[in-house]
Amino acid sequence: MSSNLSKSAGKVQTALKELGFELNIIELSDSARTAQEAADAIGCSVSQIAKSLIFKGKISQKPILIVASGTNRVNEKAVKEHIGEKLEKADADFVLEHTGFAIGGIPPIGHKTAITTLIDEDLMQYEEIWAAAGTPHAIFKLTPKILTEITQGDIICVK
């Protein structure tokens, strides 16, 4: 199936298979760059979109991935309490360097380097959620349990 996907979406499909999951990536004709666009294209609620946001630690300069519910804004002070350092916004070059993907299609897995991952506890209430798959047009459906397993992320309150 990945042979029909764009190169970036194919990388995510391969990463899913390597992790032992047969989850299918869908490439949409409409953009899913924002949580609202993704929800509109899929026909789910915005809160079921698992948006992948990359920050960097102010001191460590290491990437931090926060997978948040599409309706939630990340409270950087709450995250600081969990990771022990202040967060900074990551620019597009930093995101690409550490993930291998451009902003607007960051998947929760398949990154160039290992990234500390935090998962919004609000995603846990859904039977199914949707995540980006490497491009602004590529998505895949999964469960919160699978998200936790494939990312090895800590579940926290990000609000």
Side-chain angles (χ1 to χ4, degrees), residues 11 18 25 32-33 36 52 54 61 68-69 71 73 75 82 93-94 100-101 104 108 110 112 114 146 152 156:
K11 286 195 308 191
E18 287 174 354
I25 293 176
R33 182 177 296 276
Q36 184 65 60
S52 294
I54 300 288
Q61 294 294 295
S69 172
T71 53
R73 181 168 165 78
N75 177 339
H82 185 78
D93 290 338
F94 181 88
F101 300 97
K112 283 171 111 172
I146 292 172
Q152 298 295 299
I156 68 164

Side-chain angles (χ1 to χ4, degrees), residues 48-113:
Q48 285 177 275
I49 301 299
K51 60 185 179 182
S52 294
L53 306 168
I54 300 288
F55 291 87
K56 67 178 167 181
K58 185 171 179 70
I59 298 164
S60 67
Q61 294 294 295
K62 290 184 178 175
I64 310 286
L65 169 62
I66 300 175
V67 183
S69 172
T71 53
N72 290 349
R73 181 168 165 78
V74 173
N75 177 339
E76 295 174 29
K77 288 181 181 170
V79 174
K80 177 187 175 193
E81 296 301 314
H82 185 78
I83 64 169
E85 75 176 310
K86 191 173 181 176
L87 294 178
E88 291 184 331
K89 301 278 187 222
D91 65 23
D93 290 338
F94 181 88
V95 171
L96 185 61
E97 175 187 344
H98 290 280
T99 68
F101 300 97
I103 291 174
I106 305 294
I109 59 160
H111 307 130
K112 283 171 111 172
T113 59

Side-chain angles (χ1 to χ4, degrees), residues 121-140:
E121 67 184 10
D122 286 355
L123 289 169
M124 299 299 119
Q125 66 186 298
Y126 299 104
E127 286 185 33
E128 63 181 37
I129 56 177
W130 294 82
T135 79
H137 295 274
I139 55 165
F140 66 102

